[in-house]
Amino acid sequence: MNPVLADIYSTVIPSMPFIIAAYALMWAVLLIYVFVSISGLKKTEKQIAVLEEAVAELKAE
Amino acid sequence: MTNKPVKLPEAGQWPDKVAPWALLAGIVLSTLGFLMAFLYAGPVNGAAVDGVELIGGQMVANKLLLSQKIFYFHMPVALVSFCALAFACYYSVRFLATKNQRFDTCAKVCMEISLVFVICTMITGDLWERFEWGVWWTWEPRLTTYLILMLIVIAYFVLRNAIDEPERRGVYAAVIGIIAMVDVPICFMITRLIPSGVHPVVLREGGMSGDMGMTVAVCLAGLMLVGFALYRFRFRQVRLQERLQALKDEVEILEEQR
């Protein structure tokens, strides 16, 4: 390869892991937050089901 | 003088109807921004090389810095974190004025969104810095003020978890929320007050070329919409939890009365 071109592109390949990691980790952080929120929602839904049972028992008595 | 009833933010209001569409638009715009960063925005020149080459119809005499592509998401996530902090401050002030727990809930969710985007900013910035300057950290003014901001946001949650009594917790948290907002303009303006080679002033006339500005704008719009959708989703979930807790308390009282 032309040495001048090689010099121009010299930082492109070494920087790729950092660019990929930056974009991947950024979206990973956002997705983790979404998953935490969803798991919180599921936990709340389960608690609602328990509460509904408790209310039904109270009504039956 | 009549007291106007305070209009409280609640799950299921119009923003919740808009949120799924905002999320979809945010994902589309972020993807478009990502493609624009690599396919539309021109490469940034680094150090001069010993010679000149014709690339894509242009004479190039410098190293091409691909790592600068991180900038197209690094700056927008930082601006979204500032925006979330501004809303957290607004809700904190409303809480202090009304002592209504709903505003405390809104402020807490805003702070969570802010923390998520602060972490994104730190990750993207650190990886860029590690490649360009070979270090994971440098005590540069913008980095230092942003680190202080991150520590204040973390302190907000540490403080919340340390206090059980809701009103006292809300008041202390609101004060920290307002203090965090005070750091935002300092953090934003620091590159103008103390010029540094690491963080140039980009939001100014001639700071970015047209293609760079357009790409940043698309990424910013996309991430703002994603941030808004995340806020609404989390707010709905937290509100549901609060309503459930209130119902549980009522059921317990009824059981005790029997």
Side-chain angles (χ1 to χ4, degrees), chain B residues 17-241:
Chain B
K17 294 179 179 72
V18 177
W21 297 106
L23 180 65
L24 186 69
I27 292 169
V28 169
L29 284 174
S30 305
T31 310
L32 185 67
F34 177 79
L35 294 173
M36 283 172 78
F38 287 90
L39 305 174
Y40 172 66
V44 168
N45 293 332
V49 296
D50 199 14
V52 178
E53 276 295 327
L54 189 70
I55 303 170
Q58 279 192 325
M59 299 304 281
V60 178
N62 298 78
K63 289 183 181 184
L64 296 179
L65 301 178
L66 195 71
S67 63
Q68 184 271 342
K69 300 293 180 191
I70 294 172
F71 164 79
Y72 296 108
F73 274 72
H74 174 66
M75 193 181 98
V77 286
L79 290 179
V80 177
S81 74
F82 290 160
C83 188
L85 276 170
F87 276 102
C89 176
Y90 166 74
Y91 286 124
S92 297
V93 171
R94 297 281 323 255
F95 172 75
L96 291 176
T98 63
K99 291 283 158 58
N100 191 307
Q101 288 294 325
R102 191 69 52 80
F103 293 116
D104 181 46
T105 304
C106 291
K108 188 191 91 171
V109 177
C110 282
M111 286 301 258
E112 276 185 20
I113 299 295
S114 172
L115 182 61
V116 167
F117 281 92
V118 164
I119 292 169
C120 288
T121 310
M122 280 295 190
I123 288 172
T124 50
D126 260 6
L127 284 161
W128 189 8
E129 185 185 322
R130 180 71 184 85
F131 178 74
E132 283 299 328
W133 298 292
V135 289
W136 287 107
W137 187 258
T138 172
W139 293 101
E140 183 262 353
R142 169 63 66 77
L143 260 73
T144 308
T145 48
Y146 203 76
L147 176 71
I148 292 167
L149 187 72
M150 188 174 86
L151 294 176
I152 294 172
V153 176
I154 292 169
Y156 177 91
F157 291 104
V158 172
L159 187 87
R160 282 196 79 92
N161 288 332
I163 303 170
D164 288 330
E165 207 259 299
E167 190 167 327
R168 204 157 66 93
R169 179 178 61 208
V171 170
Y172 287 4
V175 171
I176 299 278
I178 293 164
I179 291 171
M181 186 57 204
V182 171
D183 193 36
V184 169
I186 297 170
C187 194
F188 187 78
M189 296 299 289
I190 198 77
T191 49
R192 289 164 174 82
L193 299 171
I194 309 169
S196 143
V198 179
H199 275 101
V201 181
V202 289
L203 284 182
R204 64 185 161 89
E205 200 180 333
M208 282 186 279
S209 59
D211 53 346
M212 285 173 78
M214 181 68 82
T215 308
V216 167
V218 171
C219 292
L220 180 61
L223 288 166
M224 281 281 184
L225 290 169
V226 169
F228 166 73
L230 285 179
Y231 166 76
R232 287 312 300 189
F233 178 66
R234 181 69 173 153
F235 177 66
R236 276 184 84 155
Q237 190 247 315
V238 172
R239 274 298 297 145
L240 195 65
Q241 243 172 7

